Amino acid sequence: MSSKRLIFLGPPGAGKGTQAKFLSEEANIPHISTGDILRTAIDTGTPLGQKAQSYVDAGELVPNDLILDLISERLQKPDAQLGWILDGFPRNLKQAQFLDEILKDLNQHSVCILNLEVPEEELVSRLLKRHRQDDNEVTIRHRLEVYHEETEPLIDFYSDRTVHSVNGNRPLQEVTAALKEIVEAS
Ligand code: AMP
């Protein structure tokens, strides 16, 4: 893969985590999932986890001040200097602006923005099958609302760059192949 800094947009249940994991193994670059970081913090009861838990359980975004420093530190680690895949960040405008600032400071200019598209009812049915603690129907619907309100506008935010939209409503391997083709060409 030639492009080594990837941002995954797309709603919950679109397959960002699964695809990011494949691509991260393929390219040998870290898969940075803010959702995974928060879930680990909650499971181990760290101060971050304690502050984040009620938001995650309710399907709300965790406040930016809990996330921004965490991402900044993560992107400065040695293993992130050759590339990374961001999954679940940025999630709102403030986070996207902050990410642009960090990348400018790190002199990392090119990023490949991927957007996985899946119809809403398919998302709900996938999420209901997942059995994660925050995957009950009420929370799922709320997470989708939060996505439309806060995260979907990032497609416009990035409209001065290329946002590569990919149909995520097909077999896993086909989605992976489509993503690899984009990443290799970018
Ligand atoms: P995910 O695994 O990406 O679906 O994230 C699970 C939950 O973690 C979300 O519903 C939010 O509560 C929280 N979360 C993950 N990433 C972020 C983020 N970038 N900003 C705020 N909250 C987040």
Side-chain angles (χ1 to χ4, degrees):
M1 294 196 333
S2 53
S3 189
K4 297 276 190 172
R5 285 188 290 273
L6 315 184
I7 296 175
F8 262 102
L9 301 177
K16 302 186 297 294
T18 308
Q19 296 296 339
K21 187 166 177 292
F22 283 144
L23 296 179
S24 123
E25 282 163 9
E26 177 100 7
N28 204 19
I29 50 176
H31 167 202
I32 302 174
S33 154
T34 42
D36 284 350
I37 294 170
L38 291 170
R39 278 184 290 279
T40 303
I42 291 170
D43 289 347
T44 52
T46 65
L48 169 67
Q50 288 171 18
K51 289 182 207 143
Q53 177 148 31
S54 61
Y55 298 95
V56 174
D57 285 348
E60 294 285 351
L61 294 186
V62 162
N64 286 331
D65 61 350
L66 295 184
I67 291 281
L68 296 182
D69 288 347
L70 180 158
I71 277 289
S72 167
E73 280 167 30
R74 183 67 190 85
L75 292 180
Q76 289 179 61
K77 287 202 174 155
D79 71 334
Q81 298 323 298
L82 293 178
W84 34 255
I85 303 181
L86 281 181
D87 157 20
F89 185 96
R91 215 49 168 242
N92 60 27
L93 201 56
K94 174 85 195 144
Q95 294 182 7
Q97 288 163 338
F98 183 80
L99 179 60
D100 273 353
E101 291 298 315
I102 304 176
L103 297 183
K104 207 161 74 186
D105 290 348
L106 293 173
N107 227 350
Q108 296 178 351
H109 295 290
S110 59
V111 292
C112 177
I113 303 162
L114 301 163
N115 178 36
L116 279 179
E117 296 182 317
V118 173
E120 192 105 347
E121 285 319 305
E122 172 65 17
L123 295 172
V124 175
S125 117
R126 287 186 188 182
L127 291 166
L128 281 172
K129 282 188 205 127
R130 209 160 65 168
H131 302 304
R132 214 168 71 187
Q133 204 190 327
D134 57 341
D135 282 338
N136 60 73
E137 182 137 18
V138 174
T139 313
I140 288 170
R141 296 269 175 207
H142 189 57
R143 296 221 309 277
L144 289 169
E145 275 168 26
V146 170
Y147 166 77
H148 290 305
E149 264 168 45
E150 306 229 28
T151 312
E152 203 172 23
L154 297 186
I155 297 172
D156 273 346
F157 173 82
Y158 287 121
S159 62
D160 59 340
R161 285 153 266 192
T162 307
V163 177
H164 300 276
S165 287
V166 170
N167 172 10
N169 193 22
R170 48 187 169 156
L172 265 180
Q173 294 87 339
E174 275 183 40
V175 180
T176 310
L179 290 169
K180 270 166 73 174
E181 198 175 314
I182 290 166
V183 170
E184 268 152 25
S186 70

